[in-house]
Amino acid sequence: MDLRKSCPVALNPSLIPTDVTFVIEHCGSEVKAHKFILAMGSPVFLNQFFGPLKETREILPVKETTKESFAAMVDFLYGKEIDWKAMSVDEMFDIANMAEKYHMEALVEAVKKAFEDYPLDETNVVVCASHAREYGQFEELVNTLLLQCAKFLKTVLVKVKDFEVFAAKYCDTNLSETALKLLGVMLTVPQVNCCTSETCRRGNCMYRKEDFQEGDKVKFCPVAKDSDVTDDQRKHGSEGIVTGMGNSCVTVKPEDGRQFDYYIIKGGFPTFMFCKC
């Protein structure tokens, strides 16, 4: 339950002393909360704190999770915004595990929606799918992310050469089974009308000066090594506009920051990806 959306007056529970502290077993970190608010969003907490055999302790141990995942679940109950795009696939499944444990269907649906919007690119799509397949107990969530991965691949595997490169990249790795699985899921995905051209470049990495034109929109690559690229820009695939060009550098004004000169290639890794066909 999102209390702040159901109440016309913004709530600020921090003004009220907390009455329960959860201690995460594997690290000893603490998460403080209000029993009443937790009980409103979870029947498990309701029974635990207000049932006939209610818990009277003020400090409770929590097993088999991390502080970050448990705190995210509590934040959800308080109606706070969750930054899903900053999370790994494993972290999101850990939150899903908490949602199942505390019977929070709304949180399960929020995780599913986050998987539908997960930031995928050519460098992480198979890895994300591989991690997802480790959580077979969450069949619906796994299938949701696998479908999104397959939809993404549908936009970048267009020509025969694309499939040959994809096969060569994964055939002798521990990701080969997942890569093959995604190709199978692709068969169930309707044709994506991103572009009818076989030369569609959206999502591909940019390696040459000739790939850039002033005024073009570009996206930061998650493997970029340029020191001016921030962690947030890598994680979220932030976009920017090309405003100038040099021999080995391009000037880009990011949507979330000020203009910099960036290396096209740094440490053998590209800094940008194409945003358009």
Side-chain angles (χ1 to χ4, degrees):
M1 176 184 293
D2 189 332
L3 294 177
R4 293 187 295 180
K5 289 181 180 178
S6 60
C7 179
V9 179
L11 300 178
N12 186 2
S14 64
L15 299 176
I16 304 172
T18 57
D19 56 0
V20 63
T21 299
F22 297 94
V23 179
I24 311 304
E25 187 176 71
H26 87 95
C27 65
S29 297
E30 296 182 349
V31 177
K32 297 180 182 295
H34 303 83
K35 294 179 180 179
F36 181 72
I37 291 178
L38 300 184
M40 288 185 69
S42 162
V44 175
F45 283 131
L46 176 63
N47 185 63
Q48 183 177 12
F49 297 135
F50 299 101
L53 299 176
K54 65 182 180 181
E55 178 65 69
T56 58
R57 292 176 296 171
E58 294 184 359
I59 300 177
L60 302 174
V62 178
K63 301 179 180 180
E64 300 178 351
T65 190
T66 64
K67 181 202 174 183
E68 292 76 16
S69 296
F70 192 83
M73 180 193 71
V74 171
D75 285 345
F76 183 84
L77 287 170
Y78 277 79
K80 297 180 180 179
E81 293 295 328
I82 308 298
D83 187 6
W84 297 107
K85 290 186 177 180
M87 295 184 186
S88 69
V89 169
D90 291 318
E91 288 170 332
M92 293 167 70
F93 273 110
D94 196 23
I95 292 173
N97 187 50
M98 289 291 97
E100 291 279 357
K101 178 178 179 179
Y102 292 98
H103 297 182
M104 296 168 56
E105 294 182 8
L107 183 53
V108 174
E109 285 302 311
V111 174
K112 181 179 178 181
K113 179 64 168 62
F115 278 142
E116 291 173 349
D117 298 329
Y118 197 81
L120 297 169
D121 57 58
E122 289 183 273
T123 65
N124 72 1
V125 60
V126 177
V127 174
C128 289
S130 178
H131 283 299
R133 296 181 69 208
E134 296 175 4
Y135 297 91
Q137 68 271 34
F138 301 108
E139 183 177 1
E140 184 176 0
L141 293 178
V142 170
N143 289 339
T144 295
L145 184 54
L146 291 182
L147 180 60
Q148 293 308 116
C149 291
K151 286 180 178 179
F152 173 80
L153 286 179
K154 194 88 169 184
T155 69
V156 296
L157 301 182
V158 179
K159 301 175 292 183
V160 172
K161 183 66 175 177
D162 298 332
F163 285 92
E164 292 175 347
V165 170
F166 182 81
K169 181 176 181 179
Y170 294 108
C171 66
D172 292 321
T173 72
N174 58 358
L175 296 174
S176 59
E177 184 178 342
T178 298
L180 185 61
K181 171 73 173 178
L182 287 178
L183 292 178
V185 177
M186 274 180 60
L187 298 176
T188 68
V189 178
Q191 182 61 43
V192 178
N193 295 321
C194 161
C195 177
T196 57
S197 170
E198 290 189 351
T199 59
C200 176
R201 304 174 297 176
R202 186 166 66 89
N204 292 341
C205 295
M206 306 173 77
Y207 293 95
R208 306 174 304 157
K209 175 184 176 181
E210 292 75 20
D211 290 336
F212 297 85
Q213 291 186 1
E214 289 190 27
D216 277 355
K217 181 181 285 189
V218 294
K219 176 182 290 190
F220 285 100
C221 185
V223 297
K225 299 298 183 183
D226 191 300
S227 59
D228 288 323
V229 181
T230 67
D231 289 338
D232 281 345
Q233 288 169 335
R234 292 187 188 93
K235 286 181 180 179
H236 300 159
S238 301
E239 298 178 352
I241 301 296
V242 178
T243 59
M245 301 174 60
N247 290 327
S248 60
C249 296
V250 291
T251 305
V252 174
K253 187 178 189 312
E255 60 185 6
D256 55 359
R258 63 189 181 89
Q259 182 170 285
F260 279 102
D261 292 332
Y262 298 92
Y263 286 102
I264 297 173
I265 301 286
K266 182 68 174 179
F269 292 89
T271 303
F272 297 100
M273 299 187 299
F274 289 99
C275 273
K276 65 177 186 178
C277 296

